[in-house]
Amino acid sequence: RPDLADPPPRACASLCPARRAMATKEAAAPEAEAPEVEAEEEEGLEVDGLDLYYVPEKALNGIKAKLSNGRKEEDLKPLVQQLVDFDQVPDDERMLPVDMRGAGKEFESVEEMLAELGVVGAAEAFLKAREYFEANKDEEPEEDRPKPLTAAEWKEAMAAQDFEEGEEEDLFEGEEEEIEEEDPEVDAEAAEPAAKKAKTA
């Protein structure tokens, strides 16, 4: 995992992994420098205009309490870590949807946000993102809005997205290889008329 001292760099397939995870759940039922905070290269999901991301409810509530009581980086750091490294979150933990458009600025990734805003700034941005989601400024019908998930469901959704993106990359690379293989044949065909002309001469 990259250290924030050297931060690295988010899209949704036709059936978004987050939507798919929620559908599975319903069917089953009748992101200044921030030293020492490691960040997973997690990507958000664009869903019906949302810049969707999920965060652990307990960590988010803890951040809210800490920000109203001193805003100390050392107190916020372990909580922010849980927002970006889901390996630390138990599978049965409740995850809340947030809309990262509420962060106030568009970031390519959570890592970039942490690197630019620092621990305290990132903590505030996540809270704003949750408030933005709750405000529902797009006036999306409540029944169509993303619902809370368990950490296990969110991890599964992200793994599915990574798999789909990997397949797309493999397909693109395969097409490039086919084009490269065709090029020598084109060169050979172009060379044949030239050789015939040389013999005729």
Side-chain angles (χ1 to χ4, degrees):
R1 296 190 181 101
D3 202 309
L4 277 183
D6 298 297
R10 134 174 117 152
C12 192
S14 56
L15 179 59
C16 177
R19 289 289 195 202
R20 194 161 52 229
M22 287 184 283
T24 302
K25 179 182 179 183
E26 290 168 2
E31 355 112 336
E33 194 174 88
E36 298 180 12
V37 178
E38 295 183 356
E40 292 282 346
E41 194 169 339
E42 299 289 355
E43 296 184 345
L45 301 171
E46 294 177 6
V47 183
D48 297 338
L50 302 181
D51 193 354
L52 188 65
Y53 195 75
Y54 274 79
V55 296
E57 183 176 30
K58 288 182 180 178
L60 196 65
N61 289 339
I63 285 173
K64 190 173 183 178
K66 297 294 183 185
L67 285 174
S68 62
N69 187 29
R71 297 161 50 91
K72 295 180 181 177
E73 182 174 317
E74 58 269 27
D75 294 336
L76 289 165
K77 190 180 296 183
L79 296 171
V80 171
Q81 184 69 52
Q82 292 182 48
L83 301 188
V84 297
D85 184 1
F86 298 136
D87 289 341
Q88 298 187 20
V89 183
D91 285 347
D92 59 352
E93 184 93 12
R94 180 178 161 94
M95 306 283 288
L96 298 178
V98 299
D99 189 342
M100 296 308 292
R101 291 180 297 173
K105 179 181 177 181
E106 184 175 345
F107 296 96
E108 288 298 319
S109 66
V110 175
E111 296 76 25
E112 181 184 314
M113 183 178 72
L114 276 166
E116 183 170 328
L117 302 181
V119 174
V120 176
E124 292 174 329
F126 276 116
L127 276 185
K128 290 177 182 177
R130 176 59 184 171
E131 291 169 358
Y132 193 94
F133 176 84
E134 291 178 317
N136 191 14
K137 295 186 177 182
D138 296 329
E139 298 181 349
E140 185 181 15
E142 190 60 37
E143 61 271 18
D144 295 336
R145 308 203 73 206
K147 304 295 189 293
L149 302 173
T150 64
E153 288 168 331
W154 177 239
K155 292 172 186 176
E156 183 180 344
M158 295 307 296
Q161 177 176 269
D162 290 342
F163 177 76
E164 289 171 359
E165 289 176 350
E167 282 193 324
E168 288 176 3
E169 288 177 5
D170 291 342
L171 180 62
F172 181 71
E173 288 174 1
E175 290 174 349
E176 280 189 332
E177 288 175 3
E178 287 178 9
I179 292 171
E180 289 174 0
E181 288 173 2
E182 289 172 1
D183 284 342
E185 295 177 7
V186 173
D187 292 342
E189 289 174 3
E192 282 180 13
K196 288 179 181 177
K197 286 180 182 178
K199 286 180 181 178
T200 304

